[in-house]
Amino acid sequence: MTTETFIINELKKFLEKNEISDISIILQKPKDKKFGDYAANIALQLARHLHKKPFDIAKDIFASITVDTRYISKVEIAGAGFINFFSSNDYLFQQLDLLIKQGEKFGYTESGKGKRAQIEFVSANPTGPLTIGHGRQAVLGDTIARLLEMIGYNVTREYYFNNAGRQMRILGDSIRFRYMELIGEKIYFPDDHYQGKYIIDIARSVLEKHGKDVDIEDTSFFAKIGEENIFDDIKKTVKRLGFFFDVFYNEKSLYETGKIDSVVKELGKKGLTKEEDGALWFITTKLGFEQDRVLIKSTGEPTYRLPDMAYHIEKVKRGFDLIIDIFGADHIATFPDVLAAVKALGYDTEKIKVLIHQFVTLTEKGEKVKMSTRKANFVTLDELMDEVGVDVTRFFFLMRHMNAHLNFDLALAKTQSDENPVFYIQYAHARICSISELAVEKGIEIKDDCDLTRLTMPEEINLIKYLINFPTLIEAAALNFEPHRLTNYLFETASLFHKFYTVCRVLTDDPTLSKARLSLINAVRIILANGLRILGISAPDHM
RNA sequence: GCGCCUGUAGCUCAAUUGGAUAGAGCGUUGGAUUCCGGUUCCAAAGGCUGGGGGUUCGAUUCCCUUCAGGCGUACCA
């Protein structure tokens, strides 16, 4: 049992005794230490209910609580009627011991055990290298997947793509024109085609591999080679970021298996489609939307919407307990009607969570840099990693709430300075490793003779309290899909460690104290390493 | 016009999902090292949480309104 469940049980007893049922007990962790380690606002909640002053209710509750020193050391009433609980040191030491024994396993929980999650992200069509915008999404998606794995989920990382249609024709033509240019033909390169240098590189590779006799009218040949090249690069970029996709889902397969047709038919049966101006429309106005949407253009080509519906139906059918879509803010309007169709056809959309992240604003020397694949004045994800490294790239993308615009100051990111929090955290890890090595040199070894009760300084106790909260934090970050909580937590952990370090010497003349402190910093190292692992960031022994 | 997101210290951002005196980093100013890694630590200054109403014991958080910025508002994806 944890202190938290102990306190909740005590409060429940009070509620049962007074036959109160419609109140949920919420324990908070006060920011200010003088308010204890856990605070209950239950008396304030009950005030209206019982028509009594909160403070008087708090007094009644206070009287009913037994102080079990295995969990708590004291209870206080404060303010208008908060009840504050203080953890006992016995409990802290026991949890610290558990942390050290579990080591790299510490932080795993089981609330998602046996459940399967699918998370779809990046899903960029193969028309160019991944940009910084994709980078934010890639890192967010992978880290959310890692967090879900921490709480027991089995996670499928999925990439959905479309290698047909207008965009691919433009890609094919872009390469074709560059190829013609290379073999000495005079060409006009249209403004709305892909301008990037990578197109010329691909054209050159076509020339090297296939010579000068390629059919220069065959757009689809060039498109196919372009797709292969670009996908190879995308996969390399993703690998470099530190993960891989389990599934690349080709939109085309939805046509081949008849799933697209079946969506059209089913929507038709429900009376949700109509033909107008040669196109087939989805009558979204029947479902409460402002305007109807085109499903199949008058040219006979479907819009993105139709395969998206079929794809999401497939996701539900595949039996996942949790389905996550990550989109950039520019796709904000594209999913409500897709989900509405899925729902209208009788599939459970409750399991689908759509996460929207805001854009990355790239600034260089105070000037905004506009990103566009078509125009090619973008900075690619690879270029960014070349400049600042994988660790900094990942951390920067994760440290902000995804709803907030991310201001990526390229100049600042390029300077690998101490302004960067990732170095601060890694430095703490390296410093601990260094101390531990020195301890070994001095012949100080911890076996089973470590007396944690020697840890009594406020800096030590604060550190322990913060460390043992790690599993709770992971759980919250995972369930809310908020990786930035973990970056903040690790920064704070490093900070508490550095504060401890300046006040408490680890290797002293007192062998039992030294061993206790060595255990403590080992616990810090475990937390930093486990946390960084979840973020996909290295935890170096030396820097 | 309408929809979604955002607005918190000079700058970049937090705030335990409605809690107690709104916190960090950078920057500014001033300090700390005979000793385990100074890429560290301590302190000071800096705020009407964009403005105005409301809901209640209590609001940065929820509701209304207004202002500012971003993204959408396609027979592009």
Side-chain angles (χ1 to χ4, degrees):
Chain A
M1 185 155 66
T2 63
T3 299
E4 212 161 338
T5 52
F6 170 78
I7 295 168
I8 288 171
N9 285 344
E10 288 293 306
L11 295 174
K12 268 186 189 158
K13 277 188 216 161
F14 176 84
L15 291 181
E16 280 166 21
K17 208 164 58 185
N18 290 276
E19 296 179 353
I20 302 162
S21 57
D22 54 347
I23 286 271
S24 58
I25 297 169
I26 298 162
L27 275 193
Q28 288 159 333
K29 302 197 173 190
K31 300 170 223 172
D32 195 329
K33 285 173 190 65
K34 76 181 179 200
F35 296 133
D37 300 307
Y38 300 93
N41 63 349
I42 187 164
L44 296 159
Q45 290 181 61
L46 286 172
R48 220 178 345 163
H49 202 270
L50 298 177
H51 304 291
K52 284 167 83 173
K53 282 185 193 165
F55 195 81
D56 293 335
I57 300 169
K59 276 200 315 209
D60 291 344
I61 298 172
F62 176 80
S64 77
I65 293 168
T66 48
V67 176
D68 184 334
T69 55
R70 281 178 301 172
Y71 303 108
I72 54 176
S73 59
K74 70 174 170 177
V75 186
E76 283 178 359
I77 304 175
F82 287 99
I83 305 170
N84 298 332
F85 301 84
F86 294 77
S87 297
S88 69
N89 283 357
D90 285 355
Y91 177 74
L92 298 180
F93 296 140
Q94 176 219 322
Q95 291 294 303
L96 181 62
D97 189 51
L98 183 73
L99 187 167
I100 294 165
K101 285 204 172 104
Q102 291 192 352
E104 59 185 27
K105 301 252 186 255
F106 188 75
Y108 283 94
T109 58
E110 301 200 327
S111 61
K113 199 181 177 188
K115 293 185 187 166
R116 291 167 60 236
Q118 188 252 19
I119 175 163
E120 183 218 324
F121 57 111
V122 183
S123 296
N125 287 337
T127 57
L130 296 183
T131 64
I132 288 184
H134 297 122
R136 185 177 199 188
Q137 190 169 133
V139 175
L140 273 172
D142 176 49
T143 308
I144 288 170
R146 290 176 196 235
L147 282 166
L148 289 171
E149 283 163 352
M150 287 301 293
I151 65 170
Y153 273 93
N154 185 308
V155 183
T156 301
R157 292 166 176 77
E158 193 153 320
Y159 187 118
Y160 174 73
F161 70 99
N162 165 12
N163 58 354
R166 184 164 162 267
Q167 284 186 89
M168 296 308 287
R169 283 199 299 277
I170 293 176
L171 174 71
D173 279 337
S174 300
I175 299 169
R176 191 165 67 90
F177 292 147
R178 291 304 185 198
Y179 172 84
M180 289 161 70
E181 204 170 39
L182 285 174
I183 60 172
E185 301 259 341
K186 272 209 165 162
I187 57 135
Y188 164 71
F189 198 90
D191 282 348
D192 63 349
H193 280 44
Y194 296 107
Q195 308 284 334
K197 183 178 165 292
Y198 67 96
I199 297 290
I200 299 171
D201 292 339
I202 295 169
R204 193 169 290 124
S205 78
V206 174
L207 184 60
E208 280 163 15
K209 240 187 225 167
H210 301 271
K212 291 185 174 183
D213 301 325
V214 174
D215 178 2
I216 53 169
E217 298 299 314
D218 191 352
T219 297
S220 64
F221 169 79
F222 287 96
K224 189 162 173 289
I225 290 191
E227 181 192 333
E228 284 166 4
N229 273 272
I230 290 166
F231 250 135
D232 278 351
D233 285 344
I234 287 175
K235 284 175 185 171
K236 274 183 208 153
T237 305
V238 167
K239 186 180 177 191
R240 203 175 157 195
L241 265 184
F243 70 101
F244 60 90
F245 285 95
D246 302 295
V247 177
F248 280 85
Y249 200 104
N250 191 341
E251 181 188 308
K252 202 190 285 175
S253 67
L254 294 164
Y255 292 91
E256 291 163 354
T257 51
K259 280 161 187 151
I260 302 280
D261 288 342
S262 133
V263 171
V264 175
K265 265 186 218 156
E266 293 298 315
L267 283 175
K269 274 190 208 164
K270 301 260 179 197
L272 290 170
T273 60
K274 66 176 178 185
E275 278 191 55
E276 203 172 290
D277 304 329
L280 186 76
W281 293 72
F282 177 28
I283 313 176
T284 15
T285 47
K286 276 196 185 176
L287 300 171
F289 288 85
E290 296 229 331
Q291 49 186 308
D292 295 331
R293 304 287 182 176
V294 171
L295 284 178
I296 302 175
K297 300 181 231 173
S298 51
T299 60
E301 277 184 79
T303 61
Y304 72 89
R305 193 170 278 116
L306 182 52
D308 260 17
M309 291 169 183
Y311 179 41
H312 278 84
I313 288 170
E314 275 310 292
K315 288 188 192 186
V316 175
K317 281 187 177 170
R318 282 158 70 192
F320 294 107
D321 299 286
L322 177 64
I323 297 164
I324 299 174
D325 286 353
I326 306 187
F327 294 140
D330 55 336
H331 283 57
I332 190 83
T334 67
F335 68 90
D337 50 282
V338 169
L339 288 190
V342 174
K343 196 175 178 185
L345 295 180
Y347 297 96
D348 180 11
T349 51
E350 291 297 306
K351 291 172 182 166
I352 304 175
K353 302 278 178 224
V354 178
L355 307 181
I356 304 288
H357 67 88
Q358 293 300 311
F359 279 160
V360 177
T361 314
L362 192 62
T363 57
E364 174 110 62
K365 291 167 195 161
E367 297 243 341
K368 274 189 189 174
V369 182
K370 215 23 183 169
M371 283 174 284
S372 157
T373 314
R374 209 63 70 79
K375 293 224 178 83
N377 56 352
F378 54 87
V379 176
T380 68
L381 189 48
D382 277 312
E383 285 165 352
L384 181 68
M385 287 191 280
D386 291 342
E387 292 290 337
V388 304
V390 177
D391 288 346
V392 173
T393 299
R394 286 193 67 117
F395 197 91
F396 262 59
F397 282 137
L398 292 171
M399 64 196 282
R400 309 269 119 102
H401 193 113
M402 74 173 89
N403 274 343
H405 293 100
L406 179 63
N407 190 355
F408 206 115
D409 186 332
L410 205 57
L412 178 75
K414 280 177 187 169
T415 65
Q416 295 200 2
S417 73
D418 56 339
E419 291 166 26
N420 203 323
V422 68
F423 293 127
Y424 181 84
I425 297 168
Q426 289 178 324
Y427 178 72
H429 186 270
R431 188 180 236 182
I432 291 168
C433 291
S434 174
I435 298 170
S436 301
E437 281 171 23
L438 190 64
V440 172
E441 279 174 31
K442 289 191 173 187
I444 305 172
E445 261 188 276
I446 304 166
K447 288 175 185 162
D448 290 334
D449 56 345
C450 182
D451 181 10
L452 294 176
T453 63
R454 293 296 307 273
L455 303 172
T456 53
M457 298 282 283
E459 286 79 8
E460 295 169 326
I461 299 297
N462 287 343
L463 196 44
I464 297 169
K465 285 177 181 173
Y466 205 75
L467 294 176
I468 63 178
N469 193 40
F470 184 67
T472 308
L473 177 109
I474 295 298
E475 184 101 7
L479 293 174
N480 290 289
F481 315 116
E482 291 180 341
H484 78 280
R485 294 196 193 198
L486 183 52
T487 59
N488 289 344
Y489 173 86
L490 292 179
F491 187 83
E492 183 65 19
T493 303
S495 174
L496 288 173
F497 165 71
H498 287 307
K499 282 176 178 136
F500 154 82
Y501 175 85
T502 52
V503 178
C504 303
R505 201 184 155 76
V506 176
L507 304 176
T508 65
D509 296 336
D510 179 344
T512 59
L513 181 62
S514 299
K515 285 179 185 177
R517 286 183 173 165
L518 271 172
S519 294
L520 177 58
I521 66 168
N522 185 38
V524 176
R525 192 196 57 72
I526 289 168
I527 294 298
L528 292 176
N530 291 5
L532 287 171
R533 187 190 69 221
I534 298 166
L535 298 178
I537 294 171
S538 67
D541 294 353
H542 300 277
M543 292 175 74

